Amino acid sequence: MKAMQKALVAVGLMLVAVAVGIGVLRQGGGPNPVTDADAWVSWATRDPIMAFIGLFGALMAGVGAVAGLMQILGPKPQSRDEAARAQDRIRATVEDGDAETQRLVKEVLAQLVAGRDGGAADDAATADARVDAVQQIVESGDAAEQEAARLIADGRVDEGFARLREDARAGDQDAAEKWRRLGALAFAVNVTEARAAYQKAAERDPADVWTHIYLSRLDRTTGDLGAARRSAEAALAAATIEKDRGAALSVLGDVARAEGDLPGARKAYEDGLVIRRDLSARDPKNASWRRDLWTSLWHLADLPDGGVTWVEVREALAAEQARGTLFKDDEPFLDEATRRAAD
C-alpha cells in the first residue's frame, strides 16, 4: 500500500513538472506562471493537452499525498507480534469463560448432591441425567435458567427450583425439556418437586420414554404404586428402541415387586434381560449396555427363584472392574454381590 502511494505522488509530480516545463518553453516570453495567475488560463487555452496532463498529474499526486497523510494520522495496522498478542488475549478470555462455566456446573452439582436426603434413590442413570441437565442449563440455558443455576450454586436450592418452575410455565416450545431439566435436578433432592416437574413434562411430551421411567420411580418412592405402574406401562408403550424397552421393563419389574407380584416382576426382569443380553452381545465394548446387563442380573438374583445366582452377578461386576469400567458409585454393588455369593 505504501509503495502505491509513493508511486502515485512521484508519477503525478513528474507529469505536473513535464507539463509545466513544456508550457513554459512554448509560452516563451509570455507571462510568468509563477507570478501571474493569468498565465495558467492563457496556457490552458493555447495548449489544452499539456494542461490536461498537468491537471491529471496534480490529481494523482494529490491522491497519493492524501492517502499517505491518512496513514500517518490514522490508526496503525497491527504488527505480527501485536496480532499474536491479541489472539492470546482472546484465547485467554475464552478459556476463562470455560473455566467459569465449569466452576458453576460443579457448584450446582455439589449443592444438589448435598441435598439428596429429601429425594428419591439415586443411581448412575439419574446421576447422568442430573449432570446433563445442569450442563445444558449453565452452558446454553436462557436468562431465567442461568439465574436459577446461580441461586442453586449459592445454596438457595428451593429458590432456584422456583425460578425454573416459573420459566417452564412460560409455555414456550421447549417447555417439556425445561420441565425435564428441573425434574432431573430435583430427583435426588426433592421428590415432590421432581414428580410435579416430570408430570408437566409428560403432559407436554407423552412420547418421551425416560420422562415416564423417572416418573414411575418417583411415584414408587411416594408409595403411589398405581401411578407408578401407569407410568411404567406408558414408558413401555412409548419405547421404540430396544435399550429404552429394556429400561421400561426393568421399571415395570420394580413396580410389580413393590406390589408383591413376584411372578410379574420376574417376567418383566427376564424379558428385559433377553433384550440386554442381545444388545451387549451385539456391541461387547459398550460399557453402558454391559451395566444394564448386570443390573438385570442383579434384579433376578435378588428374587426368590429368579434363575440367576449371585456368583453370576459378582462375575459380571468383577469383569467391569478388571476392564476399568466399573463406575465408582457401583463399587458397593460389587462388594455386596461378593458377600452374597459367599453365603
Side-chain angles (χ1 to χ4, degrees):
M1 187 68 177
K2 289 182 179 179
M4 183 176 291
Q5 293 161 6
K6 290 178 180 178
L8 284 172
V9 173
V11 173
L13 290 177
M14 185 167 46
L15 288 174
V16 171
V18 169
V20 171
I22 293 174
V24 169
L25 289 174
R26 285 189 178 181
Q27 196 158 284
N32 188 344
V34 177
T35 59
D36 188 352
D38 290 337
W40 295 99
V41 177
S42 174
W43 173 41
T45 302
R46 290 171 49 193
D47 199 347
I49 295 176
M50 285 297 106
F52 174 77
I53 292 173
L55 179 61
F56 182 72
L59 285 173
M60 288 179 63
V63 169
V66 169
L69 185 62
M70 290 178 64
Q71 187 172 28
I72 293 172
L73 299 179
K76 303 292 188 298
Q78 286 185 324
S79 68
R80 184 176 299 175
D81 290 341
E82 289 170 334
R85 285 194 292 272
Q87 287 296 326
D88 288 341
R89 287 194 296 274
I90 294 170
R91 192 178 299 110
T93 301
V94 171
E95 289 172 355
D96 288 343
D98 289 345
E100 175 65 18
T101 297
Q102 292 307 312
R103 181 193 64 78
L104 184 56
V105 168
K106 290 178 181 178
E107 290 181 358
V108 171
L109 288 171
Q111 291 294 336
L112 295 173
V113 170
R116 282 192 295 187
D117 291 344
D122 208 14
D123 64 8
T126 55
D128 287 346
R130 179 168 59 248
V131 171
D132 288 344
V134 171
Q135 288 180 329
Q136 289 170 16
I137 287 171
V138 171
E139 294 174 4
S140 57
D142 57 27
E145 290 180 310
Q146 297 276 337
E147 179 187 351
R150 287 190 290 272
L151 287 169
I152 295 171
D154 289 340
R156 298 155 66 184
V157 177
D158 290 340
E159 292 179 57
F161 287 169
R163 189 70 188 91
L164 290 172
R165 278 199 308 274
E166 292 170 7
D167 186 44
R169 285 189 184 122
D172 49 8
Q173 291 181 347
D174 60 348
E177 184 58 33
K178 289 183 176 183
W179 283 117
R180 276 194 288 269
R181 287 201 284 261
L182 173 56
L185 266 60
F187 189 93
V189 180
N190 186 323
V191 170
T192 303
E193 185 82 60
R195 189 183 186 200
Y198 276 121
Q199 284 175 334
K200 293 286 188 182
E203 291 169 4
R204 287 162 174 75
D205 185 10
D208 187 78
V209 177
W210 286 89
T211 295
H212 296 298
I213 287 174
Y214 293 137
L215 190 54
S216 178
R217 292 180 58 180
L218 289 162
D219 289 333
R220 184 160 47 87
T221 299
T222 65
D224 191 346
L225 297 181
R229 174 169 284 278
R230 287 191 294 274
S231 294
E233 290 173 347
L236 188 58
T240 58
I241 60 175
E242 291 296 271
K243 178 175 172 59
D244 288 350
R245 183 171 172 78
L249 285 165
S250 181
V251 171
L252 188 59
D254 292 341
V255 174
R257 179 168 184 171
E259 293 172 332
D261 179 9
L262 297 186
R266 178 173 177 173
K267 176 67 167 61
Y269 290 146
E270 286 177 339
D271 289 348
L273 178 60
V274 170
I275 291 172
R276 289 171 168 179
R277 274 188 168 145
D278 179 60
L279 290 173
S280 187
R282 278 192 251 164
D283 186 3
K285 294 182 179 180
N286 191 312
S288 176
W289 289 358
R290 292 198 309 269
R291 186 185 188 281
D292 290 343
L293 177 57
W294 72 252
T295 300
S296 289
L297 293 171
W298 182 288
H299 286 148
L300 286 165
D302 202 34
L303 282 179
D305 301 319
V308 173
T309 68
W310 284 108
V311 172
E312 293 176 78
V313 179
R314 182 197 64 196
E315 289 176 351
L317 283 161
E320 291 303 306
Q321 186 180 55
R323 291 187 183 97
T325 53
L326 184 66
F327 297 125
K328 187 173 182 61
D329 289 345
D330 291 338
E331 290 175 359
F333 290 102
L334 174 58
D335 295 339
E336 178 67 10
T338 302
R339 184 188 65 77
R340 293 195 183 190
D343 289 344

